[in-house]
Amino acid sequence: MLDQEARYESYKDSGLEWLGVIPSDWALKKSKYVWREIEDRSAQGTEQLLSVSQYHGVVPSKSDSRSESLEGYKRVYPDHLVTNIMLAWMGGLGISDHDGLVSPAYAVYKLRDEQNAHFLGYLYRTKVYLAEFARRSKGVVPSRWRMYTDDFGQVLTLLPPKETQNRIVSFLDEKTAEIDAAIEKKRRLIDLLNEQKAILINCAVTKGLNPDAPMKDSGVDWIGEIPAHWDVKRNAALFDESKKSGTADLPVLSVSIHHGVSRSELSEEENLRSAIKIADRTSYVEVLPGYVAYNMMRAWQGGIGAVHTHGMVSPAYVVARPRGPIHADYFERLYRTDNFIGQMDQFSKGITDFRKRLYWEEFKTLLTLVPPMEEQVMIADFCQVIVDACKDAVKATQSEISILNEFKQTLIANAVTGKIKI
């Protein structure tokens, strides 16, 4: 329950179930009487290209390559409202602070009278207004919903007196900036946690866990010194390529650049392409726990990992079967460090990044660090502890970010709908 001191003197029923009561001196007006659509087209197409983000509103486009002419794009000026008619109901709209151009597929509106455009920008991105935009949008399914100008024009816009609008905008600009700064600090903390995790893992898999161990020159510039009792070997000494076909009853596993080899088959909900990937299992390759598998096209991005589940993988993957006792989890951690990913990148073949492939003939020539088996296990276990601790810390920080974001959205909604007095 809001403190009475934080409320306006009196309220009235808005007549809208989704909006509830509003301050007595606030008005409701159809949006077509607040905004008028404009069709100001660029003759040269030389202006700055803008985009409409669901998260940031109207911002300069990051993909302004000018490979195509922007002639005929719609001109936008500060305080104009721009909506992506396909995504307005998901927040794909905003007030522009820039001169520039937007896609002809967007709708651009100019205020008809003296309102604070940024107040309306805050208002239209609240949950209650986005829900109203969804109700007003036309289309068979959400992915085809469109909010056209006539639909938007029927939406009732909440209008406080102009001086109240100004106060609310000033208040929200200040408070949201403070919240955003707090969120940014927490995001930097997540980056630092992940950086620290990478440093600890890299040190463990390349230097071992004993800081007092005698060291020797590995003979490889990018590896540097390693414990004196470790070996440097080529992958061919550790693995053979396996091409044994899987059987229809085995799960199809995937290799992610983020998580390595999956431990179960992805459902269609989790992977929209799964039906295509498993349509013909005859060419898929069997994998056993302890093997290493990698995606030929993504190895240079870290698409490699240890196998923990008896299953099979796409023929686009390479399967490395150990020639003798190894602990595959250690080698996954090693292969996913920056230096070893760089080695896989160097030996991948292809003209451009999206065509690069690391074939077995190249993979088997790569240099690998080989500690004694007992140390491989200890290092892998240590790395898992580090990963779990970082995961917990990141999860807790992400939860704090979610709480801050929810608080910000609640604060905005309460301010622009008159639930609290500013």
Side-chain angles (χ1 to χ4, degrees):
M1 190 74 174
L2 289 168
D3 187 277
Q4 291 300 312
E5 293 181 357
R7 292 173 63 84
Y8 289 89
E9 289 72 17
S10 62
Y11 285 80
K12 63 184 179 184
D13 186 358
S14 68
L16 301 172
E17 184 178 349
W18 55 270
L19 189 56
V21 297
I22 59 175
S24 297
D25 62 340
W26 292 27
L28 283 167
K29 185 183 289 188
K30 285 187 176 181
S31 295
K32 65 181 179 179
Y33 300 122
V34 179
W35 302 93
R36 64 180 178 86
E37 186 176 17
I38 57 175
E39 287 282 344
D40 185 4
R41 304 289 179 133
S42 173
Q44 292 82 29
T46 57
E47 298 91 336
Q48 180 182 39
L49 179 62
L50 306 174
S51 63
V52 181
S53 163
Q54 293 171 247
Y55 308 102
H56 306 294
V58 182
V59 293
S61 176
K62 294 180 180 179
S63 58
D64 187 2
S65 62
R66 299 292 167 134
S67 57
E68 298 180 1
S69 172
L70 302 185
E71 182 181 340
Y73 273 52
K74 293 183 178 180
R75 294 174 65 101
V76 175
Y77 296 97
D79 288 348
H80 283 180
L81 170 66
V82 184
T83 68
N84 179 334
I85 64 172
M86 296 184 292
L87 295 175
W89 64 279
M90 292 182 66
L93 77 166
I95 303 298
S96 179
D97 289 320
H98 311 278
D99 291 344
L101 303 177
V102 295
S103 165
Y106 293 168
V108 180
Y109 301 93
K110 182 179 180 179
L111 284 167
R112 290 182 178 273
D113 56 19
E114 291 294 321
Q115 307 292 340
N116 189 313
H118 287 86
F119 169 82
L120 299 173
Y122 278 122
L123 180 72
Y124 292 149
R125 293 170 70 86
T126 59
K127 290 180 181 179
V128 290
Y129 267 88
L130 294 181
E132 177 66 1
F133 294 156
R135 287 188 288 270
R136 296 283 181 177
S137 296
K138 293 183 172 67
V140 179
V141 293
S143 62
R144 294 185 177 275
W145 284 356
R146 306 284 192 276
M147 187 177 73
Y148 298 103
T149 297
D150 288 345
D151 306 315
F152 173 61
Q154 295 302 309
V155 175
L156 287 169
T157 293
L158 184 57
L159 295 172
K162 178 67 177 298
E163 59 271 19
T164 304
Q165 294 180 30
N166 293 341
R167 285 200 310 271
I168 292 172
V169 169
S170 295
F171 171 81
L172 290 178
D173 284 349
E174 178 183 349
K175 295 303 179 183
T176 58
E178 291 173 359
I179 297 170
D180 288 343
I183 290 172
E184 182 58 29
K185 286 182 180 178
K186 293 187 180 297
R187 286 180 175 149
R188 287 202 299 269
L189 174 59
I190 290 175
D191 291 340
L192 289 172
L193 287 168
N194 284 319
E195 288 173 14
Q196 185 67 17
K197 177 185 71 174
I199 290 169
L200 290 171
I201 290 175
N202 183 76
C203 184
V205 297
T206 60
K207 307 298 181 185
L209 301 179
N210 180 6
D212 299 321
M215 306 294 283
K216 68 179 181 182
D217 186 356
S218 67
V220 182
D221 288 343
W222 55 268
I223 295 178
E225 286 192 332
I226 61 173
H229 60 290
W230 288 22
D231 293 322
V232 177
K233 296 182 179 180
R234 296 198 182 275
N235 281 334
L238 302 173
F239 302 100
D240 290 315
E241 183 180 18
S242 178
K243 294 185 176 181
K244 182 180 178 182
S245 297
T247 56
D249 60 320
L250 291 175
V252 175
L253 309 179
S254 61
V255 182
S256 161
I257 63 175
H258 303 294
H259 306 295
V261 181
S262 65
R263 301 196 181 206
S264 61
E265 185 169 308
L266 299 181
S267 66
E268 290 192 20
E269 291 77 18
E270 294 171 310
N271 186 349
L272 297 176
R273 296 178 299 171
S274 61
I276 298 173
K277 291 173 65 177
I278 66 174
D280 179 12
R281 296 175 180 249
T282 58
S283 60
Y284 279 56
V285 182
E286 181 183 26
V287 291
L288 293 170
Y291 284 17
V292 170
Y294 69 85
N295 183 330
M296 282 193 294
M297 299 174 62
R298 294 300 184 98
W300 63 277
Q301 293 177 302
I304 188 168
V307 177
H308 296 91
T309 303
H310 184 194
M312 57 183 174
V313 297
S314 164
Y317 297 164
V318 172
V319 177
R321 181 182 65 246
R323 303 185 69 181
I326 67 160
H327 191 62
D329 286 350
Y330 163 79
F331 289 94
E332 173 176 339
R333 299 295 182 195
L334 179 68
Y335 292 149
R336 290 168 68 85
T337 60
D338 288 345
N339 280 340
F340 278 81
I341 289 175
Q343 187 183 199
M344 289 188 286
D345 184 18
Q346 179 185 349
F347 281 82
S348 294
K349 293 185 176 180
I351 299 173
T352 58
D353 285 349
F354 68 89
R355 292 186 179 276
K356 282 183 177 178
R357 284 163 175 71
L358 181 66
Y359 298 100
W360 168 255
E361 290 303 313
E362 283 67 47
F363 177 77
K364 72 180 185 180
T365 67
L366 302 185
L367 294 170
T368 296
L369 299 181
V370 187
M373 181 67 170
E374 182 180 354
E375 277 191 73
Q376 294 178 30
V377 175
M378 292 174 62
I379 292 169
D381 289 347
F382 171 82
C383 290
Q384 190 60 52
V385 170
I386 296 299
V387 168
D388 290 343
C390 181
K391 182 178 179 181
D392 290 344
V394 167
K395 184 177 180 180
T397 307
Q398 288 173 332
S399 177
E400 293 169 358
I401 290 174
S402 296
I403 291 170
L404 285 169
N405 273 319
E406 184 62 31
F407 173 71
K408 181 173 78 169
Q409 295 309 315
T410 301
L411 181 66
I412 291 171
N414 286 339
V416 298
T417 59
K419 302 299 185 292
I420 58 174
K421 182 178 180 180
I422 304 300

